[in-house]
Amino acid sequence: MGQDRPIFVSPKSKAYLSCGVWSPTRPSVVFLACADGTVLAWDFTDSSYKASIELKATHTNISSIEFLTSTTSTTAATAKNQLLALGTDQGVLHVFEVPPSLSRAVNKEESLMQNFADREMDRISSCLLYTSPSPRDRTRSRMPSSA
């Protein structure tokens, strides 16, 4: 949080974003859960103006979201399928398999994500450097000239 402004702001979601988690295998993918039961998957190598996938997972508020990541279980660590657990306000657990397109890293993904972050940092830095003229600077004085 080295900046006082975010490096990226998404367009407004249809519902309140209740929680989110970065993919443990894809540095450019973040999963966001919504209060209306929708899960949004943003893949920044694909698009930065809309979610890549939108899934209506449940009809109630998703209050927690977490990936299965286990270093103690050989089965979980070597599994080809990535699992995502969602918890609702009503105490219901939903487990989904993440599609391969969102769980398997693409070639040079870390570099692509770093380039995206660098471009966004440059964008906000240039916005901070530019200051527009005050409306007062654009108006002419209405005071009569003393000449």
Side-chain angles (χ1 to χ4, degrees):
M1 306 275 281
Q3 298 284 331
D4 60 347
R5 295 174 60 181
I7 64 166
F8 174 78
V9 177
S10 72
K12 186 175 179 181
S13 176
K14 296 175 191 171
Y16 172 78
L17 300 176
S18 54
C19 53
V21 63
W22 286 98
S23 167
T25 57
R26 297 273 320 269
S28 65
V29 175
V30 64
F31 290 81
L32 302 170
C34 300
D36 68 353
T38 303
V39 175
L40 306 172
W42 284 75
D43 179 352
F44 291 109
T45 63
D46 177 42
S47 171
S48 63
Y49 61 91
K50 67 176 185 164
S52 299
I53 292 181
E54 189 172 322
L55 169 71
K56 184 67 172 176
T58 181
H59 294 286
T60 60
N61 180 35
I62 300 171
S63 55
S64 62
I65 183 170
E66 189 160 336
F67 281 97
L68 170 66
T69 55
S70 174
T71 56
T72 58
S73 169
T74 308
T75 307
T78 59
K80 293 184 180 183
N81 303 335
Q82 189 174 62
L83 301 178
L84 180 66
L86 309 173
T88 69
D89 281 352
Q90 296 178 345
V92 178
L93 170 67
H94 299 268
V95 179
F96 290 91
E97 184 177 342
V98 177
S101 63
L102 293 173
S103 62
R104 295 193 184 125
V106 298
N107 191 27
K108 299 181 181 179
E109 184 167 356
E110 284 185 40
S111 174
L112 292 170
M113 186 59 188
Q114 185 62 54
N115 289 341
F116 169 77
D118 291 344
R119 278 192 314 274
E120 292 300 304
M121 290 292 290
D122 289 344
R123 182 186 58 77
I124 66 166
S125 293
S126 64
C127 290
L128 292 174
L129 294 175
Y130 175 76
T131 56
S132 60
S134 163
R136 210 177 24 193
D137 296 338
R138 285 183 251 160
T139 58
R140 295 181 188 216
S141 172
R142 293 186 181 181
M143 296 289 291
S145 151
S146 60

